[in-house]
């Protein structure tokens, strides 16, 4: 028994058994979804993970405290700048008292007594960390003669009316703290380029570290609900004009992205179903088969989603768009199968025989159509992007089951007693076109070839160019409040450009210290040579146990009792109050305790209070693991080309020091060759697969050549449309070319396979052209519905694929069909076609 007859018998005579199987499958899939559903909102997972620059971004995003940092900004009118200065401390105090806020930076720590006191608390570890020569020079300040001379000089300057000596004495009474902090200050010029007040004073920025336990989607949503509630009442006490309270940061982005994922799933799926349903009803005027098609597609989505969760564990935000794509593609099979079923019923076949005929006649075409589409989407695995790999696998699974269900489950919704459609005006129009194009193919062929050739010439020509957008803008959520806040802050307080990150991890503190000393020396040479603009490192805070032990032994040569006595005598002689020099005596006591060989070496991490504002600076350099660090390099110009990234990749690393270079601009420039490779090599591999499959299917050089030219025309017209509509290529929508090749070739397969075997043009060719047109329109609708997605990667992929499929459909109908008629004419067509 043929498979088609077996399917027809089971569907018509064992309907109850089939429904039980469907119910069991749906129950299992729903149970998997209910227990295993996990969504990944990390935008970095859209990018290929094999690049070290992307791995570096993930490390910086995952392990550094800056992921819990939110940036608030107050923006007022120019007339209210004085009121903003008065209101800023009120806002900062309210922010500090929020239950989700751990600490706040509202200004330079050096401008507050707490910030100065915190620096004084870490002076001893930093002193011990100095190089031997610098340590000896610094400690010579404690010699009684030098101490007397310094305090006498400062006393004279104070009497002369200079305010600077008073600050120096309050901050560094012994003169030891400034030398200890000098290496730190020299290598942190980057902070000077990030002020907290805009030049026109209309914006004030506040940094807040939250106490959220993780950066998960639900945790970020919970946090941002509290933050937005705070923003709603944050203007209390403001007496000026309009005041904007902006907020941005990783948590804000994650919350918005995760919420937009839910919108994208619902909106794109409903949009796709609506458009596809309208097209199906327009073509066949049947409601119940439309419900059957929708049910089969929904079941295909459930199966694909359940299997995807079992395979991947969690699904990326890009992969959630597979439902809308699957609806647009899977309905092709329903249109083809149901269209052929209706045609068989019109030919007076019974319900069971019509099912068998439709499966027998188009089952092969559906199989190869599903095969080419599945291979095209599975090729996304080669992209190296987790999100797009998942998208490809889910759609490949869904397409397989959609083809299977359309040949089986769909017929459960088709009533045996339903009369066939007697007047199909859509089919009549299609039939008239087929008659004309087959009877006189030359006019259609000449006109379509001219149009498609012109568009292809524009598409493949270097003029006008197809622009490539390599920026974070192509990855940012649409209408994101966090993105708009960041843009407003950068507009008011622009950095020249984003620095390059250099991530270094040591096996122990000594190795980390030595590595950063080598890196700092190397980068200083690069800066002197003009190869980089500036740099900033944590070298001064990377403690060296060897240096600290050696310097502690040198402290034994100092007689602290004599030093204390000399300090007391000098203070009395110069008229200073001993109470105001209490920090100096405390520092001497700490140095004296360090001399004890049994005392543990001090660590600045234990000395610095957890509430200190200095942690905002330190957390930029140190991860939660203190052996994982990063430095920053500001280049002479913005990074926009792969050549710049290559130069930095050669210049910045130090031999023998493991280093990961990263940063958004650097990573995107690093990805440019990968993106071009996706556009050219992988698309070329898909094209080779297509032409090889066509050769096996057709076994006819002329028809094979026609189909290859059709594919070239479709891609050329697609590129031309993108140029003329100013749609830019980006790192991700380059994947659309292989998908268009995989999907667009199906339409030609349907038409050419029927053309090869047909003996009745009106019955067979026109009968398949109508479903092909409807299938193309539904595929365009499925991808086009992604255009409303808030995720720009998903939206861009959908729009470019919709354009490509449109031209594939046009090329098939207006070029492939008349070209096949001209190349392989049917000798009997003059007698068979009525030209009335």
């Amino acid at each position: 028994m043929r498979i088609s007859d077996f399917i027809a018998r089971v569907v018509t005579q064992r309907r109850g058994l089939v429904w039980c199987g469907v119910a069991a499958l749906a129950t299992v899939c729903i149970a998997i979804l209910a227990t295993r559903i996990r969504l990944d909102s990390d935008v970095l997972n859209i990018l290929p993970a094999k690049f070290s620059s992307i791995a570096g971004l993930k490390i910086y995003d995952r392990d550094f405290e800056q992921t819990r940092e939110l940036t608030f900004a107050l923006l007022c009118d120019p007339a209210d700048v004085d009121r903003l200065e008065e209101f800023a401390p009120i806002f900062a105090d309210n922010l500090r008292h929020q239950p989700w806020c751990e600490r706040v930076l509202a200004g330079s720590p050096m401008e507050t007594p707490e910030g100065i006191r915190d620096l004084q608390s870490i002076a001893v570890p930093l002193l011990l960390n100095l190089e031997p020569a610098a340590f000896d020079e610094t400690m010579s300040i404690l010699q009684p003669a030098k101490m007397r001379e310094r305090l006498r000089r400062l006393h004279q300057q104070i009497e002369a009316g200079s305010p600077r000596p008073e600050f120096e004495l309050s901050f560094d009474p012994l003169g030891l703290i400034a030398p200890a902090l000098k290496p730190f200050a020299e290598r942190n010029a980057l902070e000077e380029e990030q002020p907290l007040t805009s030049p026109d004073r209309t914006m004030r920025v506040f940094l807040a570290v939250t106490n959220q336990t993780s950066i998960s989607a639900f945790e970020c949503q919970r946090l941002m609900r509290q933050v937005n509630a705070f923003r709603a009442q944050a203007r209390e006490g403001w007496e000026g004009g309009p005041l904007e309270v902006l907020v941005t940061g990783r948590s804000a982005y994650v919350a918005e992205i995760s919420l937009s994922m839910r919108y994208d799933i619902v909106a794109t799926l409903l949009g796709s179903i609506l458009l596809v349903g309208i097209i199906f009803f327009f073509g066949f005027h049947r409601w119940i088969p439309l419900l059957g098609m929708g049910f089969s597609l929904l079941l295909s989505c459930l199966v694909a989603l359940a299997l995807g969760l079992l395979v991947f564990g969690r699904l990326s935000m890009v992969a959630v768009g597979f439902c809308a794509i699957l609806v647009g593609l899977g309905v092709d099979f329903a249109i083809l199968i149901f269209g052929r079923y209706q045609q068989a019923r019109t030919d007076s076949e019974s319900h069971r025989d019509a099912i068998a005929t439709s499966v027998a006649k188009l089952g092969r075409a559906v199989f190869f159509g599903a095969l080419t589409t599945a291979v095209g989407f599975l090729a996304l695995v080669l992209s190296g992007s987790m999100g797009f790999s998942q998208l490809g696998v889910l759609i490949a699974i869904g397409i397989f089951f959609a083809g299977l269900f359309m040949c089986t489950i769909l017929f459960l919704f088709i009533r045996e007693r339903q009369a066939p459609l007697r007047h199909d005006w859509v089919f009549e129009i299609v039939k008239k076109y087929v008659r004309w194009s087959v009877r006189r193919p030359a006019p259609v062929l000449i006109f379509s070839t001219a149009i498609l050739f012109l568009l292809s010439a524009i598409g493949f020509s270097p003029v006008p160019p197809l622009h490539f957008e390599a920026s974070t803008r192509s990855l940012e959520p649409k209408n994101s409040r966090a993105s708009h806040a960041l843009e407003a802050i950068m507009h008011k307080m622009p950095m020249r450009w984003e620095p390059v990150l250099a991530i270094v991890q040591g096996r122990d503190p000594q190795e980390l210290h030595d590595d950063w000393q080598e890196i700092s020396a190397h980068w200083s040479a690069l800066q002197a040579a003009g190869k980089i603009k500036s740099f900033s490192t944590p070298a001064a805070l990377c403690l060296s146990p060897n240096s600290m032990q050696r310097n502690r032994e040198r402290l034994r040569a100092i007689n602290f009792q004599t030093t204390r006595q000399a300090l007391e005598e000098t203070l009395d002689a110069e008229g200073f109050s001993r109470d105001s020099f209490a920090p100096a005596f405390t520092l001497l006591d700490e140095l004296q305790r360090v001399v004890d060989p049994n005392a543990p070496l001090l660590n600045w991490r234990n000395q610095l209070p957890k509430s200190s504002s200095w942690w905002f600076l330190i957390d930029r350099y140190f991860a939660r693991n203190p052996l994982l660090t990063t430095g920053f390099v500001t280049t002479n110009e913005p990074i926009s080309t792969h050549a710049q990234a290559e130069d930095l990749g050669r210049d910045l690393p130090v031999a023998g020091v493991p280093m990961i270079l990263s940063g958004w601009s650097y990573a995107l420039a690093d990805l440019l060759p990968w993106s071009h490779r996706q556009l050219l090599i992988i698309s070329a591999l898909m094209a080779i697969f297509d032409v090889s499959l066509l050769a096996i299917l057709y076994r006819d050089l002329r028809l094979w050549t026609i189909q290859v030219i059709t594919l070239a025309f479709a891609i050329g017209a697609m590129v031309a449309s993108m140029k003329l509509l100013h749609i830019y290529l980006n790192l991700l929508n380059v994947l659309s070319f292989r998908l268009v090749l995989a999907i667009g070739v199906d339409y030609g397969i349907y038409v050419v396979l029927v053309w090869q075997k047909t003996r009745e043009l009106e019955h067979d060719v026109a009968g398949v052209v109508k479903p092909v047109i409807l299938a193309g329109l539904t595929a365009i609708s499925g991808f086009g519905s992604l255009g409303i997605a808030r995720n720009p990667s998903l939206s861009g992929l959908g729009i470019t694929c919709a354009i490509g499929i449109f031209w594939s459909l046009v090329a098939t109908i207006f070029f492939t069909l008349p070209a096949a008629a001209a190349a392989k004419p049917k000798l009997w067509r003059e007698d068979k076609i009525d030209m009335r």
Side-chain angles (χ1 to χ4, degrees):
M1 179 184 294
R2 294 185 308 170
I3 294 179
S4 58
D5 294 329
F6 174 77
I7 291 175
R9 185 168 69 86
V10 171
V11 170
T12 55
Q13 297 180 7
R14 298 288 189 271
R15 294 174 61 89
L17 182 63
V18 176
W19 274 117
C20 288
V22 169
L25 179 62
T27 301
V28 171
C29 292
I30 292 173
I32 293 174
L33 292 181
T35 57
R36 291 179 173 267
I37 186 68
R38 295 177 66 194
L39 297 178
D40 181 5
S41 60
D42 192 348
V43 69
L44 292 173
N45 286 335
I46 302 176
L47 302 175
K50 65 179 180 180
F51 288 85
S52 62
S53 56
I54 301 300
L57 282 176
K58 290 184 177 181
I59 292 172
Y60 192 70
D61 229 21
R62 181 185 64 244
D63 296 328
F64 285 76
E65 288 291 343
Q66 58 89 28
T67 56
R68 297 194 298 123
E69 186 176 294
L70 289 176
T71 301
F72 290 85
L74 299 179
L75 179 62
C76 70
D77 292 333
D80 294 323
V81 292
D82 292 334
R83 292 189 178 92
L84 183 62
E85 291 294 328
E86 298 173 358
F87 181 72
I90 300 175
F91 178 87
D93 188 60
N94 290 336
L95 185 58
R96 288 189 183 94
H97 286 87
Q98 296 304 306
W100 43 265
C101 185
E102 193 169 280
R103 57 177 178 268
V104 174
L105 179 66
S108 172
M110 286 296 294
E111 297 176 358
T112 63
E114 294 83 5
I116 294 175
R117 184 178 63 249
D118 293 340
L119 274 184
Q120 291 172 338
S121 69
I122 64 174
V124 173
L126 296 184
L127 272 173
L128 294 176
N129 195 50
L130 292 175
E131 293 298 316
F135 179 79
D136 291 342
E137 181 181 354
T138 300
M139 298 312 296
S140 67
I141 296 176
L142 295 181
Q143 295 175 6
K146 288 188 175 182
M147 188 184 304
R148 295 190 190 95
E149 193 278 330
R150 175 176 177 271
L151 292 178
R152 185 180 301 110
R153 173 175 50 81
L154 292 176
H155 185 208
Q156 292 174 352
Q157 292 176 355
I158 291 174
E159 290 182 342
S162 175
R164 188 171 180 275
E166 293 186 6
F167 173 79
E168 182 177 343
L169 286 175
S170 63
F171 171 64
D172 188 9
L174 286 179
L176 299 179
I177 296 178
L181 296 178
K182 183 179 179 182
F184 179 67
E186 288 178 346
R187 293 301 170 227
N188 290 280
L190 183 70
E191 297 304 312
E192 298 176 2
E193 300 178 7
Q194 299 180 353
L196 298 178
T197 304
S198 64
D200 61 1
R201 299 171 57 209
T202 59
M203 177 177 283
R204 283 291 301 268
V205 171
F206 306 83
L207 304 180
V209 172
T210 66
N211 56 12
Q212 62 190 111
T213 56
S214 72
I215 203 70
S216 67
F218 294 115
E219 182 69 14
C220 290
Q221 290 175 23
R222 182 195 64 79
L223 171 68
M224 290 311 297
R225 285 194 293 269
Q226 295 177 299
V227 170
N228 289 328
F230 164 72
R231 291 176 61 208
Q233 54 84 32
R235 298 178 182 85
E236 294 181 5
W238 172 256
E239 298 178 352
L243 179 69
E244 289 188 68
V245 182
L246 308 174
V247 62
T248 188
R250 172 66 190 276
S251 298
Y253 272 104
V254 171
E256 289 186 346
I257 291 172
S258 58
L259 290 174
S260 70
M261 288 169 63
R262 183 171 59 191
Y263 167 85
D264 289 348
I265 294 173
V266 175
T268 59
L269 181 58
L270 292 180
S272 181
I273 291 175
L274 178 63
L275 293 174
V276 166
I278 291 173
I279 293 172
F280 187 93
F281 185 79
F282 176 79
F284 298 108
H285 301 283
R286 291 287 187 268
W287 282 112
I288 296 180
L290 177 60
L291 294 177
M293 177 200 70
F295 178 83
S296 300
L297 289 174
L298 177 60
L299 188 58
S300 301
C301 290
L302 282 176
V303 173
L305 195 58
L307 290 177
L309 286 172
L310 291 177
V311 172
F312 297 110
R314 65 169 61 191
L315 297 180
S316 169
M317 60 182 180
V318 172
V320 300
F322 90 98
C323 292
I325 299 175
L326 185 58
V327 167
L329 297 178
V331 75
D332 293 4
F333 306 140
I335 290 173
L336 290 167
I337 294 295
F338 183 70
R340 190 64 184 85
Y341 167 84
Q342 271 203 329
Q343 193 175 33
R345 293 286 281 157
T346 304
D347 294 340
S348 301
E349 293 186 26
S350 67
H351 175 62
R352 176 175 170 176
D353 291 341
I355 293 175
T357 298
S358 62
V359 175
K361 294 294 185 181
L362 287 177
R364 183 167 176 254
V366 167
F367 171 77
F368 283 106
L371 176 63
T372 56
T373 304
V375 169
F377 278 94
L378 282 176
L380 293 177
V381 174
L382 301 176
S383 68
S385 163
M386 181 186 299
F388 280 93
S389 296
Q390 292 179 358
L391 177 68
V393 171
L394 289 177
I395 293 180
I397 295 172
I399 284 293
F400 169 78
F401 281 99
L404 177 63
F405 294 158
M406 294 309 174
C407 291
T408 53
I409 296 175
L410 175 64
F411 293 112
L412 296 175
F413 292 84
I414 300 177
R415 294 178 296 182
E416 182 175 358
R417 297 180 180 180
Q418 186 176 24
L421 191 62
R422 292 300 176 187
H423 179 71
D424 187 348
W425 63 272
V426 176
F427 180 71
E428 291 299 323
I429 294 175
V430 171
K431 187 166 60 174
K432 288 180 181 179
Y433 168 74
V434 171
R435 286 178 178 177
W436 177 51
S437 61
V438 171
R439 176 66 178 82
R440 298 187 180 90
V444 181
L445 191 59
I446 293 173
F447 180 77
S448 62
T449 301
I451 297 296
L452 292 172
F453 182 81
L454 176 61
L455 289 173
S456 298
I458 296 174
F460 294 123
S461 170
V463 180
L466 180 61
H467 295 286
F468 195 98
E469 183 180 28
S471 68
T472 55
R473 188 175 299 277
S474 63
L475 304 176
E476 290 178 353
K478 295 179 180 177
N479 302 318
S480 166
R481 289 183 297 179
S483 177
H484 292 163
L486 180 61
E487 289 181 3
I489 293 172
M490 296 302 293
H491 175 72
K492 282 290 184 178
M493 291 178 284
M495 289 177 56
R496 293 185 63 83
W497 40 79
E498 182 193 11
V500 177
L501 307 181
I503 299 175
V504 176
Q505 183 168 11
R507 288 173 294 186
D508 53 62
Q510 186 60 50
E511 181 183 71
L512 184 66
H513 169 85
D514 295 341
D515 286 347
W516 276 115
Q517 291 299 320
E518 292 184 43
I519 293 171
S520 296
H522 178 64
W523 286 0
S524 294
L526 292 179
Q527 184 178 13
K531 293 185 177 182
I532 60 174
K533 182 175 181 289
S534 62
F535 67 93
S536 173
T537 75
L541 294 177
C542 295
L543 301 180
S544 167
N546 293 343
S547 294
M548 296 182 75
Q549 183 62 36
R550 182 173 57 248
N551 290 335
R552 180 162 70 171
E553 294 175 358
R554 290 172 181 266
L555 283 177
R556 296 174 184 172
I558 300 176
N559 188 328
F560 286 98
Q561 187 62 36
T562 302
T563 301
R564 175 184 289 273
Q565 183 178 354
L567 176 60
E568 292 174 347
E569 293 174 353
T570 304
L571 293 179
D572 294 338
E574 297 296 333
F576 289 114
S577 168
R578 291 192 181 187
D579 292 339
S580 62
F581 273 75
F585 292 106
T586 301
L587 181 58
L588 288 176
D589 292 339
E590 291 179 355
L591 288 172
Q592 189 170 4
R593 282 195 294 269
V594 168
V595 173
D596 184 359
N598 296 321
L601 287 174
L602 296 178
N603 191 322
W604 58 263
R605 287 182 171 275
N606 302 327
Q607 305 293 111
L608 191 64
K610 293 301 180 183
S611 60
S612 174
S613 298
W614 288 106
W615 284 105
F616 282 94
L617 176 61
I618 294 168
D619 285 343
R620 296 181 185 275
Y621 299 99
F622 290 89
R624 297 178 184 92
N625 175 6
L627 296 179
L628 179 61
T629 57
T630 186
F632 301 88
V633 174
T634 303
T635 54
N636 292 318
E637 57 184 352
I639 302 173
S640 58
T641 67
H642 181 65
Q644 292 174 297
E646 280 188 320
D647 290 340
L648 290 170
R650 287 191 302 266
D651 293 339
L652 294 182
V654 176
V657 178
M659 178 186 297
I660 299 176
L661 297 181
S662 190
W664 272 108
S665 297
Y666 179 87
L668 293 179
D670 194 30
L671 289 179
L672 287 176
W674 168 83
S675 187
H676 294 155
R677 198 160 50 245
Q678 293 294 309
L679 175 62
L680 299 175
I681 298 177
I682 308 300
S683 297
L685 291 176
M686 189 67 225
I688 292 172
F689 173 81
D690 282 350
V691 298
S692 301
L693 179 64
L694 293 174
I696 296 172
L697 283 177
Y698 298 161
R699 299 178 184 178
D700 186 298
L701 180 60
R702 283 178 289 181
L703 293 178
W704 178 84
T705 303
I706 290 170
Q707 188 65 60
V708 171
I709 294 174
T710 301
L711 289 175
F713 278 161
I715 294 297
M718 172 188 175
V719 177
S721 300
M722 294 178 67
K723 289 181 177 181
L724 298 176
L725 296 175
H726 301 289
I727 298 175
Y728 291 177
L729 279 178
N730 58 46
L731 292 168
L732 301 174
N733 68 10
V734 296
L735 304 173
S736 62
F737 288 90
R738 78 181 68 169
L739 302 182
V740 170
L741 286 169
I743 300 167
V745 73
D746 294 350
Y747 307 136
I749 289 176
Y750 300 147
V751 172
V752 174
L753 285 181
V754 171
W755 179 265
Q756 281 185 303
K757 298 181 178 181
T758 185
R759 290 296 181 268
E760 298 179 31
L761 292 179
E762 290 186 16
H763 189 275
D764 293 334
V765 178
V768 78
V769 170
K770 174 193 170 183
V772 164
I773 293 175
L774 295 177
L777 293 177
T778 55
I780 294 169
S781 300
F783 277 104
S785 66
L786 297 181
I788 63 176
R790 292 176 179 173
N791 182 281
S793 305
L794 202 58
S795 175
L797 180 69
I799 292 173
T800 51
C801 283
I803 293 173
I805 294 173
F806 169 78
W807 285 113
S808 296
L809 180 63
V810 169
T812 298
I813 301 302
F814 295 103
F815 177 79
T816 301
L817 179 59
K824 300 286 289 185
K826 304 291 185 179
L827 299 179
W828 47 265
R829 70 180 184 214
E830 297 287 347
D831 301 326
K832 294 293 182 180
I833 298 181
D834 182 7
M835 292 305 298
R836 290 175 296 174

